[in-house]
Amino acid sequence: MTNIPETGRTPRVQIRLVIIQVLVCSLLLTLGGRLWYLQIRNGHEYADAAKNNHVQRVVQPAVRGSVLDARGVPIADNETRLVVSASRTELMKIKDRGKAVLTRLAGVLDMKPQDVMDKVRLCDSQTPKPCWNGSPYQPIPVTLEATTQQALQIRERPEDFPGITAEPTAVRRYPAPGAARAAQVLGYLSPVTDEEIQKAKDTDSPHLRSDQVGRSGLERTYDKELRGKAAVTSYEVDNLGRVMGQTESDPGVAGSTLVTSIDARVQAVAEYELQQAMKTVRNETDNITGRKYEADSGAVVVMETKTGRVVAMASQPDYDPNAWVGGISGSDYATLTSKNSNYPLLNRAIQGQAPAGSIFKVVSASAAVRAGYDFDDKYNCSASYNMGGRSFANFESKGHGPITLGDALKFSCNTVFYALGHKEWQRDGGLEPKKDAHDWFYRTAREFGFGSETGIDLPNEVTGRIPDRQWKKSFWEANKASWCKQGKKGGTYVEQIAYENCLEGNQLKAFDSINFAIGQGDVLVTPIQMATAYSAISNGGTLHDPTVGKAVISPDGKIEVIKPKPHGMLPIDAQTISNLDKGLRSVVEPGGTAAWRFGGWPLDKIPMRAKTGTAQVYGKQTTSWLATYTDDFAIVMTISQAGTGSGASGPAVRNIYNAMYGLDMEGNQDLKKALLPAPQAELPEVQPDGTIEAPTITPYVPPSPKDVPALAGPPAPPPGRQD
């Protein structure tokens, strides 16, 4: 068979390949051109469109947990209100930056346009309150009290109110059950800032822009537990805002409930009695200055002696924490931060510092025993103590002759402690201290807990001051230049003191130790420190971290108890504690400085211990102190510029005890009327869903003056018994 060559096929194949190559090149050129057109020629248009095709997060803030008293009564919770908010981001897109919208909104809400605009402006160092200190990207509340009609007007006319929302929202509330505000204990909330968001970003409790965070008090300490976790749902939307699909969903968790050791009933009594004591003493004349007492501030602490748990804590002046809800007004902010209102935001129970006066003598008596002096030896209680040509008088210049340290507490004899403080200063080397100086008085004060924080679970506690040798040196180095500039030999009292401090302010002098021994001079203490120390004497020597939080209950009912935490022991033995206890009991017995305020008290049923104090502050009237305790509770009260301890604070402290134990002024007890005859050990009953059924509480009814002769007009105290 003959083979025929395929000469005709090869050219056809080649032609086809060429055609295919041309087509492929054409397609590539077409695609390349199209890509150039899309990415280069019109790239910015499509990039802008892509930006509008993004994920939108919808945040539903978690309901903040409630704060309850020890029996389950809410002292901070939430209520649903109609909240009108403005989106600053949306308003800034409008040509006039939202001015017309906010003006129309003001008309609907019956507000002044400027007030509305002030609400949505951002805070900075030059902008006064009101202003918004939270994130500029979250809705800013304009009012929390919109009516249904106002909300409907806004929602039915969205074209007139772009960026404005009106919807029901859970809002913080401080109900003040039984008139117990507990303002400084609870604290307040304000919006989270961008700085806080960044700081918490990588922690186990990050912030969202919608968060409200605690700024003081329990709201700040337990913010993480109370805040919960917001629900966040992420949607993919196009440039027209149409939802293209859900990408992610986090259901969130409601905030936990905080149960406190506060008893709202006792809190109400403490607040009322402190305020009433201040009002009463303002009508009395100060024999030293000839003026009425100013009684400008005060504090009281009621504490469980065996646990350190705080039953009540009041500070005056106080304020209504509801003023902060939804953003504080300019006038309210000015009042709360004004010198004229004496700074009501301060919690003077943990931030108020003053010389202790004679309630400090339990420290000095303990220091004397540690230094080798026998508690039951006799010490001369003369009318005055002379040192270097200077005379240091006893209170009202009254002497009692040779007495024990227990009697020195009973009569509050200054000269006994003057002498002990002076002798110990000399034994330690005086102006040229020995290398092995014991400094028993200063060391004992620090080991009682003074000069340092107690560890209470409230923010911004201050340390007070123990002016020992090291402090004198540091203080002198910091102030020497100012003293030398101000000082003048033979000038005014202030100039002379500055002159002396300039030359030798670094030295611990004899009169420093003499004054220190009676809680005067440069020593500063706080009411919470005193309550902690006196509680330790009551319980046998254990110093506890004071606590307000008692338990945290999660939304599913899981309970985490906050257990009492001791941080040390008093630096004295059991015998010395027993001797102090006996001496303090004698203060309320006939002849003691507090006896005239505790007449009729049933000492056989409810042992009472007390120490009065009257502290001198340069340029001011004397500060009243009264420290007391029973087997279960300690109460410490102080009132600035109010006179003597028993005179100003005595009736109020007695009334608080009477209400707690159900006593009348004759010492008769009615347990049905007793608010808290023993510490509240059990937690409120928690339901399966984590809720707590709150008992009812009635406002405190103070004793009638006709039923309480001591309140109808305080009886004149025996001479020398007012310290």
Side-chain angles (χ1 to χ4, degrees):
M1 187 173 180
T2 305
N3 293 324
I4 301 174
E6 297 182 7
T7 54
R9 287 186 179 182
T10 301
R12 284 198 298 271
V13 172
Q14 291 176 341
I15 291 171
R16 289 173 182 170
L17 290 173
V18 170
I19 292 172
I20 291 171
Q21 289 174 350
V22 171
L23 290 173
V24 170
C25 289
S26 298
L27 289 172
L28 291 174
L29 288 172
T30 301
L31 289 172
R34 184 60 176 169
L35 287 173
W36 176 87
Y37 179 82
L38 293 174
Q39 296 184 358
I40 306 300
R41 177 67 176 79
N42 286 348
H44 66 283
E45 295 180 12
Y46 291 101
D48 290 341
K51 289 178 182 178
N52 292 323
N53 231 18
H54 62 283
V55 174
Q56 183 80 330
R57 295 200 310 169
V58 176
V59 178
Q60 181 64 40
V63 176
R64 193 171 180 87
S66 297
V67 181
L68 310 178
D69 86 339
R71 301 189 309 140
V73 177
I75 51 180
D77 58 8
N78 307 286
E79 64 178 350
T80 301
R81 296 188 191 177
L82 279 173
V83 177
V84 175
S85 302
S87 170
R88 185 177 174 83
T89 304
E90 295 299 319
L91 293 175
M92 292 300 101
K93 294 179 182 178
I94 303 175
K95 188 175 182 180
D96 66 350
R97 303 174 73 84
K99 184 176 181 179
V101 173
L102 294 177
T103 300
R104 285 195 293 272
L105 180 63
V108 172
L109 299 178
D110 295 325
M111 297 174 65
K112 295 179 180 179
Q114 188 60 50
D115 291 342
V116 175
M117 294 175 192
D118 288 348
K119 286 260 189 177
V120 300
R121 64 184 177 180
L122 301 181
C123 291
D124 56 33
S125 57
Q126 284 79 39
T127 304
K129 295 282 185 178
C131 57
W132 179 249
N133 70 339
S135 170
Y137 303 105
Q138 71 182 82
I140 302 173
V142 175
T143 181
L144 305 180
E145 299 175 348
T147 65
T148 303
Q149 185 63 35
Q150 290 170 337
L152 287 174
Q153 289 185 60
I154 295 169
R155 300 193 68 164
E156 289 175 352
R157 295 157 50 197
E159 69 280 0
D160 291 337
F161 299 102
I164 307 299
T165 58
E167 54 190 19
T169 305
V171 175
R172 202 59 164 168
R173 179 181 73 130
Y174 301 97
R181 295 208 288 199
Q184 294 91 346
V185 175
L186 290 170
Y188 58 91
L189 305 176
S190 71
V192 66
T193 65
D194 283 343
E195 181 181 352
E196 288 168 330
I197 292 174
Q198 290 301 317
K199 188 175 180 180
K201 184 170 59 175
D202 298 324
T203 68
D204 61 351
S205 182
H207 289 299
L208 295 174
R209 296 193 182 279
S210 59
D211 281 341
Q212 294 271 322
V213 296
R215 294 300 178 196
S216 68
L218 295 172
E219 295 278 27
R220 176 173 170 180
T221 301
Y222 295 96
D223 180 72
K224 178 181 175 181
E225 292 82 359
L226 292 168
R227 184 166 17 106
K229 183 181 178 184
V232 181
T233 304
S234 299
Y235 297 96
E236 185 178 358
V237 298
D238 62 15
N239 61 334
L240 297 178
R242 295 174 297 198
V243 176
M244 301 174 65
Q246 181 175 316
T247 62
E248 191 178 4
S249 179
D250 186 343
V253 180
S256 297
T257 296
L258 175 67
V259 178
T260 70
S261 55
I262 296 292
D263 187 301
R265 302 166 303 173
V266 179
Q267 178 72 28
V269 177
E271 290 181 13
Y272 175 87
E273 291 297 342
L274 173 62
Q275 190 175 42
Q276 189 63 33
M278 294 170 65
K279 288 181 179 178
T280 299
V281 79
R282 287 179 190 140
N283 293 321
E284 298 177 7
T285 301
D286 179 5
N287 293 331
I288 298 175
T289 64
R291 298 183 285 108
K292 298 290 186 183
Y293 285 112
E294 294 187 21
D296 54 347
S297 63
V300 60
V301 176
V302 183
M303 179 184 289
E304 294 179 8
T305 59
K306 296 180 178 68
T307 64
R309 287 193 167 120
V310 176
V311 175
M313 177 182 285
S315 177
Q316 283 290 335
D318 70 348
Y319 65 98
D320 182 0
N322 288 298
W324 291 91
V325 177
I328 193 167
S329 69
S331 59
D332 285 343
Y333 185 81
T335 299
L336 294 181
T337 57
S338 169
K339 181 179 179 181
N340 293 333
S341 57
N342 204 8
Y343 310 108
L345 292 178
L346 286 177
N347 183 350
R348 286 172 166 82
I350 66 171
Q351 296 173 298
Q353 305 180 102
S358 292
I359 63 171
F360 195 74
K361 289 172 181 174
V362 293
V363 175
S364 298
S366 300
V369 172
R370 296 181 76 191
Y373 299 92
D374 191 287
F375 196 92
D376 292 323
D377 274 355
K378 299 294 184 178
Y379 305 89
N380 187 29
C381 179
S382 56
S384 63
Y385 182 79
N386 297 310
M387 187 275 298
R390 297 180 62 177
S391 179
F392 295 83
N394 206 2
F395 192 81
E396 295 188 347
S397 300
K398 183 176 179 63
H400 294 276
I403 59 175
T404 65
L405 289 180
D407 284 339
L409 295 175
K410 176 179 182 177
F411 301 128
S412 201
C413 181
N414 289 344
T415 52
V416 166
F417 295 101
Y418 287 150
L420 290 171
H422 189 200
K423 289 177 182 177
E424 280 307 296
W425 176 81
Q426 291 174 322
R427 287 172 60 177
D428 285 331
L431 293 175
E432 298 180 0
K434 301 175 182 177
K435 291 183 179 180
D436 60 346
H438 292 292
D439 286 332
W440 285 117
F441 278 68
Y442 299 96
R443 186 196 300 185
T444 300
R446 290 197 177 278
E447 292 174 1
F448 260 70
F450 299 106
S452 59
E453 297 176 2
T454 63
I456 190 172
D457 55 344
L458 292 174
N460 303 319
E461 180 188 5
V462 299
T463 63
R465 183 169 67 205
I466 296 301
D468 53 16
R469 297 180 194 275
Q470 184 57 49
W471 178 85
K472 289 283 288 187
K473 181 180 178 181
S474 299
F475 193 67
W476 178 73
E477 290 173 349
N479 293 278
K480 180 182 178 182
S482 174
W483 283 332
C484 293
K485 182 178 180 180
Q486 181 186 10
K488 180 181 179 182
K489 185 176 182 179
T492 64
Y493 175 78
V494 173
E495 290 172 337
Q496 180 64 29
I497 292 296
Y499 173 77
E500 294 174 3
N501 284 337
C502 169
L503 297 178
E504 49 194 17
N506 59 330
Q507 295 180 333
L508 185 70
K509 298 183 178 180
F511 67 79
D512 289 321
S513 290
I514 287 174
N515 278 327
F516 183 82
I518 62 163
Q520 290 286 172
D522 292 314
V523 63
L524 294 175
V525 301
T526 65
I528 194 66
Q529 289 174 332
M530 277 297 169
T532 302
Y534 274 80
S535 291
I537 298 173
S538 173
N539 68 38
T542 303
L543 292 160
H544 286 97
D545 289 358
T547 53
V548 182
K550 195 172 184 179
V552 175
I553 303 176
S554 64
D556 59 2
K558 183 180 179 182
I559 301 174
E560 180 183 349
V561 177
I562 302 169
K563 297 181 180 179
K565 182 181 177 182
H567 65 252
M569 298 292 294
L570 294 179
I572 49 179
D573 58 25
Q575 184 58 54
T576 303
I577 292 176
S578 177
N579 288 335
L580 289 176
D581 186 76
K582 292 176 183 176
L584 295 172
R585 176 178 173 130
S586 69
V587 174
V588 298
E589 294 176 334
T593 58
W596 68 301
R597 290 306 193 189
F598 283 90
W601 183 269
L603 287 170
D604 55 334
K605 294 181 180 179
I606 308 172
M608 172 61 67
R609 316 290 193 262
K611 185 69 196 80
T612 57
T614 306
Q616 296 178 340
V617 181
Y618 175 73
K620 294 185 177 182
Q621 296 166 313
T622 53
T623 294
S624 167
W625 282 97
L626 182 58
T628 63
Y629 65 83
T630 62
D631 290 344
D632 292 316
F633 300 104
I635 299 181
V636 172
M637 180 177 286
T638 182
I639 305 176
S640 171
Q641 304 200 85
T644 63
S646 60
S649 300
V653 171
R654 174 69 184 268
N655 285 340
I656 296 172
Y657 275 121
N658 284 352
M660 292 173 66
Y661 285 109
L663 296 169
D664 61 21
M665 291 301 291
E666 284 71 43
N668 302 309
Q669 187 175 32
D670 184 351
L671 289 177
K672 292 181 180 179
K673 296 181 179 179
L675 300 181
L676 195 66
Q680 176 78 28
E682 300 80 15
L683 291 171
E685 184 177 352
V686 182
Q687 305 299 321
D689 61 355
T691 61
I692 294 174
E693 186 175 347
T696 58
I697 179 173
T698 57
Y700 169 59
V701 179
S704 171
K706 65 179 181 180
D707 298 327
V708 186
L711 294 182
R721 298 293 185 268
Q722 279 201 84
D723 185 36

